[in-house]
Amino acid sequence: MTHPLGSTPSKIIAVHLNYPGRAKERGRTPDHPSYFLKPPSSLAGTGEAVVRPDGCELMGFEGEIALVIGTRAARVRPEDGWSYVRWVTAANDAGVYDLRYADRGSNLRSKGADGFTPIGPRLLDAAELDPAALRLRTWVNGELVQDDTTDTLLFPFGHLIADLSRLVTLEPGDVILTGTPAGASVVSPGDVVEVEVTGGESTTGRLRTPITDGPPLAPWGAMPRADRAEREAAYGSAYVPGPVLDEDLAAGLRSVAVATLSARLRGRGLPHMSIDGVRPAVPGTRMAGVAHTLRYLPLREDLFERYGTGMNAQKRAIEELRPGHVLVMDARRDASAGTLGDILALRAQRRGAAGVVTDGAVRDSAAVAGLGLPVYAAGSHPSVLGRRHVPWDTGVPVACGGALVQPGDLIVGDDDGVVVVPPELAAELVADCREQERQERFIAGQVAAGESVDGLYPLGPAWRQAYENWCKGEAK
């Protein structure tokens, strides 16, 4: 399509995050705006279809306010930035998350395909609008899914223009997509997305974009690929993640004693699978889940400001948790500073975590224990982590309580402690443990009746037939 002013813009610039609601969905609030480019060939008009390539499942929509530059802008000041805008209109910053991995950062193929930037249908005169009093709304199949205003933007429009023009000259006709509010999600062929911008009595009308199926991509080049992380990013607040561990297997692991698991692991040549020195915050706790890891390094004061503050690795690890995850913290067995407090424990619980294990200390220990989240720690301490630790990285192999824990390992805990279970052995171990515990119930009954443990514990050949007869009776 041609640009609304009658010519093709030299560039389309899109802002990553600008609405507080969207920043909250993403789990981060940037200190400065960041941008990516969309090719002018991605422009489309109202009524034109956005084509989802065959093989893609994550066709994302993002209702946005588009600014059209009217006067050449180079090195302008924030207070003057709005005066360089000639028109305001509605836009849909469409994209397929299935291809985002292929051009991470540039978004060229995921966001830049032909027709992936519908704008229109009408242009509003910027001189007649208050840039802090615009309203943006998006509908999918007639249902309102986005509704926000520009009075709380992280980066007002004048600031965006000034920031960009420090290094990039904005030419007349250039388009700036100014970010999307909370509620952006995924659409499918057959859906219709509508976006409208209003300011006072002025309205762009609804930019209408039907979604259609496209032909298969040619096999040369990156092909569509979607994983859990991309699905969560694409669906936003509408994403409901499934558990990372099959519930039947989780229930099986919780049903057997950690002591029995430890014995069966040792019998398979794995004697070093216990996370030593950690105890449950609340007696009677049982826990089973998939390891997500966090590594602390020893405190270095000159590095703490860079690595220990803001959205550091500790906080990122919490926000990366999925239902069924157990956060495993490697604090080098140093319990002289806290590695988890009540706020982050609450957030882990809200994220669906199955538990937390740290070979460091917990602070706010009474409040943490009161949450009901399974937490295993080496002790309690009133200090924050900056006394001993720098949160360094997440999702890496760690040493916790003397055990090597890889992301994806299974973590099982009860009053006796915590063990690491290789996922490929889990189902067999549960079956083995149940058999061992059945034998031990039989043995305990015989010992209670006065029998000697000689030849009985462990179960010997002389007792095998009696045990099998007992099993038949128990099964009735």
Side-chain angles (χ1 to χ4, degrees):
M1 107 171 224
T2 59
H3 186 272
L5 295 179
S7 60
T8 300
S10 70
K11 51 192 167 291
I12 302 168
I13 301 172
V15 179
H16 280 114
L17 287 174
N18 202 12
Y19 286 82
R22 183 65 165 173
K24 184 177 180 181
E25 284 183 342
R26 289 297 195 234
R28 60 186 178 89
T29 300
D31 295 325
H32 309 286
S34 61
Y35 312 93
F36 61 94
L37 289 170
K38 300 189 77 171
S41 55
S42 69
L43 283 172
T46 190
E48 295 186 59
V50 164
V51 179
R52 188 184 75 175
D54 184 64
C56 292
E57 62 171 284
L58 303 176
M59 181 78 242
F61 70 88
E62 297 181 6
E64 305 207 11
I65 296 172
L67 311 180
V68 182
I69 298 298
T71 306
R72 193 170 189 266
R75 294 179 295 280
V76 304
R77 298 181 61 81
E79 59 268 28
D80 300 324
W82 182 249
S83 66
Y84 289 81
V85 179
R86 179 67 183 92
W87 306 107
V88 173
T89 193
N92 180 0
D93 180 15
V96 282
Y97 284 77
D98 315 67
L99 291 172
R100 195 165 69 149
Y101 78 95
D103 297 303
R104 182 70 66 181
S106 77
N107 293 333
L108 178 61
R109 282 170 284 192
S110 62
K111 288 275 195 175
D114 292 353
F116 272 24
T117 313
I119 65 172
R122 290 193 290 274
L123 300 171
L124 305 183
D125 189 342
E128 299 176 1
L129 300 173
D130 178 353
L134 303 180
R135 183 183 185 187
L136 170 65
R137 287 179 292 175
T138 306
W139 295 262
V140 175
N141 301 328
E143 178 184 354
L144 184 66
V145 294
Q146 291 184 290
D147 189 353
D148 213 333
T149 54
T150 57
D151 55 333
T152 60
L153 291 178
L154 299 174
F155 311 108
F157 297 148
H159 178 95
L160 295 177
I161 293 163
D163 179 35
L164 286 166
S165 72
R166 292 185 307 157
L167 297 166
V168 178
T169 298
L170 301 175
E171 301 289 354
D174 285 352
V175 176
I176 301 174
L177 306 181
T178 56
T180 194
S185 192
V186 172
V187 285
S188 301
D191 291 335
V192 176
V193 180
E194 296 174 292
V195 186
E196 182 181 34
V197 176
T198 56
E201 300 299 318
S202 302
T203 177
T204 61
R206 294 194 185 187
L207 168 67
R208 185 176 185 276
T209 305
I211 310 300
T212 63
D213 257 326
L217 290 175
W220 42 90
M223 299 303 287
R225 187 177 77 192
D227 56 23
R228 186 174 65 247
E230 291 296 1
R231 289 188 180 94
E232 180 173 9
Y235 280 94
S237 60
Y239 180 69
V240 180
V244 294
L245 178 61
D246 177 78
E247 182 51 41
D248 288 342
L249 181 56
L253 290 167
R254 288 192 297 267
S255 73
V256 298
V258 163
T260 310
L261 274 171
S262 180
R264 303 313 301 178
L265 285 163
R266 188 171 62 251
R268 289 172 176 259
L270 296 170
H272 306 297
M273 305 302 281
S274 61
I275 296 179
D276 295 338
V278 300
R279 304 295 300 166
V282 177
T285 296
R286 299 190 77 91
M287 174 187 71
V290 177
H292 180 60
T293 59
L294 167 63
R295 182 168 66 124
Y296 294 102
L297 292 182
L299 176 65
R300 249 185 65 176
E301 289 82 356
D302 60 319
L303 294 176
F304 192 83
E305 180 66 26
R306 184 192 309 175
Y307 291 99
T309 60
M311 196 63 184
N312 59 30
Q314 180 196 43
K315 294 177 182 176
R316 291 199 308 274
I318 296 290
E319 292 300 329
E320 290 164 358
L321 292 173
R322 303 291 179 268
H325 267 148
V326 173
L327 179 58
V328 180
M329 298 181 178
D330 172 6
R332 309 174 320 285
R333 296 184 172 184
D334 186 344
S336 62
T339 57
L340 180 77
D342 58 341
I343 297 298
L344 292 185
L346 176 61
R347 181 58 178 159
Q349 185 181 53
R350 292 291 184 267
R351 295 286 297 172
V356 177
V357 180
T358 175
D359 62 0
V362 169
R363 64 193 299 258
D364 310 311
S365 56
V368 170
L371 290 174
L373 174 72
V375 174
Y376 291 76
S380 301
H381 201 282
S383 78
V384 296
L385 59 90
R387 181 172 185 264
R388 294 290 187 190
H389 309 298
V390 181
W392 200 258
D393 49 11
T394 71
V396 295
V398 298
C400 184
L404 169 60
V405 181
Q406 294 192 102
D409 281 340
L410 303 185
I411 307 297
V412 186
D414 66 12
D415 280 350
D416 280 346
V418 179
V419 293
V420 183
V421 175
E424 65 275 11
L425 299 180
E428 293 179 15
L429 284 168
V430 169
D432 289 350
C433 288
R434 286 176 173 165
E435 172 58 21
Q436 179 175 324
E437 291 180 349
R438 187 181 299 114
Q439 290 184 19
E440 290 178 354
R441 287 198 303 274
F442 168 76
I443 293 167
Q446 302 306 312
V447 171
E451 294 289 348
S452 167
V453 296
D454 184 22
L456 173 62
Y457 182 58
L459 192 69
W463 283 96
R464 178 62 59 179
Q465 187 60 54
Y467 169 65
E468 291 177 359
N469 292 337
W470 176 86
C471 289
K472 292 176 183 177
E474 190 179 57
K476 291 180 180 179

